[in-house]
Amino acid sequence: MKTQRPPIIWLNVVIFASSMLLAAVVAPIYFIFNGIGVAHWVWLLLTFSFCNLCITAGYHRLWSHRTYQAHWSLRFIFALGGAFALQNSALHWSSDHRVHHRHVDNNDKDPYSAKRGFWFSHIGWMLRHYQTPEQYSDYSNCRDLQKEKIVMWQHKYYVPLALLMNLGVPIILGVIYHDIIGMLLMIGAVRLVLNHHTTFFINSLAHIWGSQPYTNKNTARDNGILAVLTFGEGYHNFHHIFENDYRNGIYWWQYDPTKWLIRTCTWLKLAGKLRITPAEKIEKAKALQLLNDTKQKIRHLPDHHDLAERMHKEYDALILQMTEYYELKKQLMSNKKQQLMEQYEHAVLKVRYQKIQQHFKQQQQQWQMLMKQYA
């Protein structure tokens, strides 16, 4: 007997279908016959980037995870951009996302569980009433956000704000550049489709395509290509284990414009209290995951028990060196800041730090060489 599927959410179906039809069919036909100017492309890039950054820096890293604090003016801009992106209110979005992190990959509780397939996690979960009516209005996991005036103002007036931004901005640009229909199609429909599906990739592709250098306890993946499409959110494996870090791409070479925006806002005094995961915690997670991955790869070898035992010994030695290294580094940094040591004592400590650092690097290289033999 077939299980009856939940009722269709016709409003969402109409929005997704009509915007895709306008963007993929009507817009190309219109521009073929009427031409397309530089202004159309420039404003598409600007509004697309603005909306996505309001979701990633605002909805996601600020409100869902509280990874930093923001000035009221920045929060106001994020609220407008979130309405422009047409992805529900910040309160509703954050509530769903917190449930996702708490119950990731649980098909019964995760609202967009990747284990239910690409289509479901990408867009399918929004096309039917998979949640109960009570869940749509239960924001008990966002009591902190309910104390924020801007969040609640946007939640209360979300529909008029969404209409104002999605119609008002393209019409104003259309008046300025004497092409109202063209701007409605490009900044209204094309931009909206791009915003929707690139951010939806975070729930779908980022749980399917990529590597798992930090943990394999959930489906989240790190993917540099997705990071470009999602404004830094593609480093999703890191994010799911260290969700309270304001960064997703932790290395300087990793593409994470959301991180760069937040950091820039701190220089402008618009943001502060950025939360960062200690480097030692990150390194330990990577080492443990590498150990587990390598043990899986050598299971077919006849001497895999002996090899695994050797790897565990190397891992224990690495963690010991790592702990000593980071503890000493912390002490050195503390002494530098507080200036509590005499110059000679500081120099002695620095020499010891350099020796420990050298030993740690050697142990790390030895560990990596051992792992590579069986990777």
Side-chain angles (χ1 to χ4, degrees):
M1 182 177 181
K2 285 188 176 181
T3 304
Q4 187 174 4
R5 292 195 290 178
I8 294 173
I9 306 176
W10 286 109
L11 176 61
N12 288 359
V13 171
V14 170
I15 290 173
F16 291 136
S18 59
S19 60
M20 181 61 77
L21 178 66
L22 289 170
V25 179
V26 179
I29 294 173
Y30 176 84
F31 289 120
I32 286 172
F33 288 100
N34 295 276
I36 187 169
V38 174
H40 293 93
W41 292 112
V42 170
W43 281 105
L44 173 64
L45 178 62
L46 290 174
T47 53
F48 165 70
S49 300
F50 171 68
C51 289
N52 268 28
L53 284 169
C54 285
I55 294 296
T56 59
Y59 276 32
H60 190 206
R61 303 192 198 184
L62 173 65
W63 283 315
S64 293
H65 294 295
R66 295 303 209 180
T67 65
Y68 67 102
Q69 293 182 1
H71 189 267
W72 71 266
S73 58
L74 189 59
R75 286 183 277 120
F76 179 72
I77 291 172
F78 287 157
L80 291 180
F84 198 7
L86 205 63
Q87 294 188 31
N88 222 313
S89 71
L91 180 66
H92 190 97
W93 197 102
S94 299
S95 179
D96 274 349
H97 193 69
R98 289 180 181 184
V99 173
H100 165 65
H101 269 265
R102 186 175 181 180
H103 302 289
V104 63
D105 297 332
N106 184 323
N107 289 349
D108 296 323
K109 296 181 179 181
D110 183 348
Y112 31 88
S113 173
K115 287 193 173 181
R116 297 186 68 169
F118 172 83
W119 173 257
F120 179 86
S121 60
H122 188 74
I123 194 172
W125 69 280
M126 292 177 282
L127 302 181
R128 291 180 178 274
H129 286 285
Y130 289 100
Q131 299 184 53
T132 63
E134 294 76 21
Q135 289 174 304
Y136 283 110
S137 57
D138 179 13
Y139 303 121
S140 57
N141 63 344
C142 291
R143 290 192 177 93
D144 55 322
L145 299 185
Q146 293 181 59
K147 297 176 183 178
E148 283 201 23
K149 292 182 179 180
I150 290 176
V151 170
M152 297 311 295
W153 166 77
Q154 190 230 31
H155 182 70
K156 183 178 181 180
Y157 298 107
Y158 174 75
V159 173
L161 284 172
L163 291 172
L164 177 66
M165 295 299 294
N166 282 275
L167 294 177
V169 172
I171 289 174
I172 291 173
L173 290 173
V175 171
I176 294 172
Y177 293 100
H178 310 290
D179 186 8
I180 292 177
I181 295 177
M183 284 298 182
L184 278 170
L185 289 171
M186 186 65 97
I187 309 306
V190 176
R191 186 270 317 161
L192 183 61
V193 169
L194 290 175
N195 278 144
H196 276 168
H197 291 281
T198 51
T199 51
F200 295 171
F201 280 153
I202 303 167
N203 299 333
S204 56
L205 276 184
H207 282 263
I208 298 171
W209 178 30
S211 61
Q212 294 184 301
Y214 301 98
T215 180
N216 61 1
K217 292 182 178 179
N218 58 67
T219 55
R221 304 290 202 273
D222 273 11
N223 189 308
I225 296 175
L226 279 181
V228 175
L229 296 175
T230 60
F231 290 75
E233 301 289 294
Y235 301 108
H236 212 52
N237 188 250
F238 174 85
H239 172 65
H240 260 274
I241 190 172
F242 303 118
E243 64 184 66
N244 294 320
D245 197 312
Y246 87 97
R247 312 160 301 169
N248 275 15
I250 60 172
Y251 301 110
W252 67 268
W253 46 268
Q254 290 180 318
Y255 186 81
D256 188 356
T258 303
K259 170 188 67 178
W260 301 332
L261 172 65
I262 296 169
R263 173 59 69 180
T264 301
C265 287
T266 63
W267 299 336
L268 299 174
K269 307 301 181 184
L270 294 174
K273 296 188 177 180
L274 277 57
R275 299 172 71 180
I276 298 175
T277 307
E280 178 183 3
K281 197 172 182 181
I282 296 172
E283 289 292 337
K284 286 182 177 180
K286 287 176 65 178
L288 180 59
Q289 185 57 37
L290 180 58
L291 174 65
N292 291 334
D293 286 344
T294 310
K295 282 169 61 180
Q296 287 297 318
K297 290 177 181 178
I298 65 169
R299 288 180 64 185
H300 68 283
L301 298 178
D303 57 343
H304 70 275
H305 288 297
D306 294 335
L307 287 171
E309 186 177 351
R310 181 184 169 192
M311 288 173 185
H312 271 287
K313 288 181 179 179
E314 287 292 337
Y315 171 77
D316 291 339
L318 176 68
I319 296 302
L320 188 64
Q321 287 287 338
M322 190 183 295
T323 301
E324 187 176 3
Y325 166 69
Y326 281 109
E327 283 181 357
L328 195 57
K329 184 177 182 180
K330 189 187 299 182
Q331 185 182 352
L332 182 61
M333 295 296 293
S334 176
N335 287 337
K336 275 186 176 180
K337 290 178 181 179
Q338 299 176 19
Q339 294 182 341
L340 297 177
M341 296 182 67
E342 297 292 334
Q343 189 67 32
Y344 175 76
E345 292 175 323
H346 180 77
V348 171
L349 185 63
K350 190 172 182 179
V351 169
R352 185 182 167 211
Y353 164 75
Q354 290 172 343
K355 287 183 178 179
I356 292 294
Q357 183 185 42
Q358 184 180 6
H359 290 157
F360 167 57
K361 294 297 181 185
Q362 290 174 348
Q363 187 70 50
Q364 193 173 45
Q365 289 176 0
Q366 186 175 336
W367 159 258
Q368 290 173 349
M369 287 176 63
L370 176 64
M371 295 297 105
K372 285 180 181 178
Q373 291 179 35
Y374 304 98

mmCIF file of all heavy atoms in Angstrom, residues 175-192:
data_model
loop_
_atom_site.group_PDB
_atom_site.id
_atom_site.type_symbol
_atom_site.label_atom_id
_atom_site.label_comp_id
_atom_site.label_asym_id
_atom_site.label_seq_id
_atom_site.Cartn_x
_atom_site.Cartn_y
_atom_site.Cartn_z
ATOM 1 N N VAL A 175 13.550 52.064 -14.610
ATOM 2 C CA VAL A 175 13.287 53.479 -14.878
ATOM 3 C C VAL A 175 14.593 54.208 -15.186
ATOM 4 O O VAL A 175 14.680 55.004 -16.131
ATOM 5 C CB VAL A 175 12.567 54.136 -13.680
ATOM 6 C CG1 VAL A 175 12.502 55.661 -13.862
ATOM 7 C CG2 VAL A 175 11.157 53.564 -13.521
ATOM 8 N N ILE A 176 15.630 53.909 -14.401
ATOM 9 C CA ILE A 176 16.930 54.572 -14.589
ATOM 10 C C ILE A 176 17.523 54.237 -15.953
ATOM 11 O O ILE A 176 18.046 55.115 -16.649
ATOM 12 C CB ILE A 176 17.913 54.160 -13.465
ATOM 13 C CG1 ILE A 176 17.428 54.702 -12.111
ATOM 14 C CG2 ILE A 176 19.327 54.653 -13.771
ATOM 15 C CD1 ILE A 176 18.226 54.200 -10.923
ATOM 16 N N TYR A 177 17.430 52.959 -16.352
ATOM 17 C CA TYR A 177 18.065 52.520 -17.601
ATOM 18 C C TYR A 177 17.064 52.364 -18.757
ATOM 19 O O TYR A 177 17.407 51.791 -19.790
ATOM 20 C CB TYR A 177 18.800 51.197 -17.360
ATOM 21 C CG TYR A 177 19.987 51.351 -16.437
ATOM 22 C CD1 TYR A 177 19.900 50.999 -15.089
ATOM 23 C CD2 TYR A 177 21.191 51.873 -16.891
ATOM 24 C CE1 TYR A 177 20.981 51.156 -14.229
ATOM 25 C CE2 TYR A 177 22.283 52.033 -16.042
ATOM 26 C CZ TYR A 177 22.157 51.671 -14.717
ATOM 27 O OH TYR A 177 23.241 51.829 -13.862
ATOM 28 N N HIS A 178 15.838 52.853 -18.547
ATOM 29 C CA HIS A 178 14.815 52.877 -19.598
ATOM 30 C C HIS A 178 14.505 51.477 -20.140
ATOM 31 O O HIS A 178 14.342 51.280 -21.342
ATOM 32 C CB HIS A 178 15.252 53.807 -20.749
ATOM 33 C CG HIS A 178 15.702 55.160 -20.294
ATOM 34 N ND1 HIS A 178 14.819 56.089 -19.787
ATOM 35 C CD2 HIS A 178 16.941 55.720 -20.252
ATOM 36 C CE1 HIS A 178 15.494 57.193 -19.449
ATOM 37 N NE2 HIS A 178 16.786 56.986 -19.710
ATOM 38 N N ASP A 179 14.429 50.500 -19.258
ATOM 39 C CA ASP A 179 14.087 49.133 -19.670
ATOM 40 C C ASP A 179 13.478 48.406 -18.468
ATOM 41 O O ASP A 179 14.110 47.540 -17.853
ATOM 42 C CB ASP A 179 15.326 48.399 -20.181
ATOM 43 C CG ASP A 179 14.978 47.018 -20.744
ATOM 44 O OD1 ASP A 179 13.781 46.711 -20.864
ATOM 45 O OD2 ASP A 179 15.907 46.244 -21.049
ATOM 46 N N ILE A 180 12.250 48.738 -18.149
ATOM 47 C CA ILE A 180 11.598 48.167 -16.972
ATOM 48 C C ILE A 180 11.391 46.654 -17.130
ATOM 49 O O ILE A 180 11.688 45.876 -16.224
ATOM 50 C CB ILE A 180 10.246 48.861 -16.705
ATOM 51 C CG1 ILE A 180 10.487 50.325 -16.278
ATOM 52 C CG2 ILE A 180 9.467 48.119 -15.619
ATOM 53 C CD1 ILE A 180 9.214 51.114 -16.055
ATOM 54 N N ILE A 181 10.924 46.231 -18.297
ATOM 55 C CA ILE A 181 10.687 44.797 -18.513
ATOM 56 C C ILE A 181 12.001 44.025 -18.440
ATOM 57 O O ILE A 181 12.093 42.963 -17.804
ATOM 58 C CB ILE A 181 9.991 44.557 -19.869
ATOM 59 C CG1 ILE A 181 8.609 45.184 -19.858
ATOM 60 C CG2 ILE A 181 9.905 43.052 -20.154
ATOM 61 C CD1 ILE A 181 7.857 45.064 -21.178
ATOM 62 N N GLY A 182 13.051 44.564 -19.087
ATOM 63 C CA GLY A 182 14.349 43.883 -19.084
ATOM 64 C C GLY A 182 14.910 43.732 -17.680
ATOM 65 O O GLY A 182 15.444 42.674 -17.321
ATOM 66 N N MET A 183 14.805 44.780 -16.867
ATOM 67 C CA MET A 183 15.314 44.715 -15.494
ATOM 68 C C MET A 183 14.458 43.806 -14.617
ATOM 69 O O MET A 183 14.969 43.109 -13.742
ATOM 70 C CB MET A 183 15.388 46.117 -14.884
ATOM 71 C CG MET A 183 16.551 46.947 -15.392
ATOM 72 S SD MET A 183 18.148 46.172 -14.954
ATOM 73 C CE MET A 183 19.311 47.382 -15.601
ATOM 74 N N LEU A 184 13.135 43.786 -14.870
ATOM 75 C CA LEU A 184 12.279 42.859 -14.124
ATOM 76 C C LEU A 184 12.661 41.412 -14.420
ATOM 77 O O LEU A 184 12.664 40.564 -13.522
ATOM 78 C CB LEU A 184 10.813 43.099 -14.473
ATOM 79 C CG LEU A 184 10.117 44.250 -13.737
ATOM 80 C CD1 LEU A 184 8.764 44.535 -14.357
ATOM 81 C CD2 LEU A 184 9.964 43.943 -12.248
ATOM 82 N N LEU A 185 13.012 41.145 -15.677
ATOM 83 C CA LEU A 185 13.410 39.794 -16.041
ATOM 84 C C LEU A 185 14.789 39.444 -15.501
ATOM 85 O O LEU A 185 14.985 38.361 -14.943
ATOM 86 C CB LEU A 185 13.388 39.631 -17.564
ATOM 87 C CG LEU A 185 12.004 39.595 -18.214
ATOM 88 C CD1 LEU A 185 12.117 39.655 -19.732
ATOM 89 C CD2 LEU A 185 11.243 38.340 -17.788
ATOM 90 N N MET A 186 15.749 40.371 -15.668
ATOM 91 C CA MET A 186 17.126 40.068 -15.265
ATOM 92 C C MET A 186 17.314 40.148 -13.754
ATOM 93 O O MET A 186 17.849 39.218 -13.136
ATOM 94 C CB MET A 186 18.086 41.036 -15.964
ATOM 95 C CG MET A 186 19.556 40.709 -15.713
ATOM 96 S SD MET A 186 20.051 39.125 -16.421
ATOM 97 C CE MET A 186 20.770 39.647 -17.965
ATOM 98 N N ILE A 187 16.893 41.238 -13.147
ATOM 99 C CA ILE A 187 17.103 41.441 -11.703
ATOM 100 C C ILE A 187 15.997 40.775 -10.891
ATOM 101 O O ILE A 187 16.195 40.443 -9.724
ATOM 102 C CB ILE A 187 17.198 42.944 -11.375
ATOM 103 C CG1 ILE A 187 18.217 43.637 -12.283
ATOM 104 C CG2 ILE A 187 17.574 43.155 -9.905
ATOM 105 C CD1 ILE A 187 19.592 42.997 -12.275
ATOM 106 N N GLY A 188 14.834 40.604 -11.508
ATOM 107 C CA GLY A 188 13.744 39.936 -10.813
ATOM 108 C C GLY A 188 13.854 38.429 -10.931
ATOM 109 O O GLY A 188 14.144 37.733 -9.947
ATOM 110 N N ALA A 189 13.713 37.909 -12.152
ATOM 111 C CA ALA A 189 13.637 36.456 -12.341
ATOM 112 C C ALA A 189 14.989 35.757 -12.388
ATOM 113 O O ALA A 189 15.225 34.804 -11.640
ATOM 114 C CB ALA A 189 12.854 36.168 -13.625
ATOM 115 N N VAL A 190 15.885 36.203 -13.288
ATOM 116 C CA VAL A 190 17.181 35.518 -13.433
ATOM 117 C C VAL A 190 17.960 35.551 -12.128
ATOM 118 O O VAL A 190 18.495 34.535 -11.676
ATOM 119 C CB VAL A 190 18.016 36.152 -14.575
ATOM 120 C CG1 VAL A 190 19.395 35.499 -14.648
ATOM 121 C CG2 VAL A 190 17.295 36.011 -15.913
ATOM 122 N N ARG A 191 18.029 36.712 -11.513
ATOM 123 C CA ARG A 191 18.750 36.848 -10.238
ATOM 124 C C ARG A 191 18.135 35.959 -9.165
ATOM 125 O O ARG A 191 18.860 35.292 -8.406
ATOM 126 C CB ARG A 191 18.716 38.332 -9.809
ATOM 127 C CG ARG A 191 19.527 38.685 -8.574
ATOM 128 C CD ARG A 191 18.744 38.557 -7.277
ATOM 129 N NE ARG A 191 17.419 39.090 -7.409
ATOM 130 C CZ ARG A 191 16.425 38.794 -6.581
ATOM 131 N NH1 ARG A 191 16.604 37.937 -5.590
ATOM 132 N NH2 ARG A 191 15.215 39.302 -6.754
ATOM 133 N N LEU A 192 16.816 35.909 -9.116
ATOM 134 C CA LEU A 192 16.143 35.108 -8.095
ATOM 135 C C LEU A 192 16.437 33.619 -8.268
ATOM 136 O O LEU A 192 16.721 32.919 -7.294
ATOM 137 C CB LEU A 192 14.638 35.354 -8.145
ATOM 138 C CG LEU A 192 13.812 34.625 -7.070
ATOM 139 C CD1 LEU A 192 14.237 35.064 -5.676
ATOM 140 C CD2 LEU A 192 12.324 34.881 -7.280
#
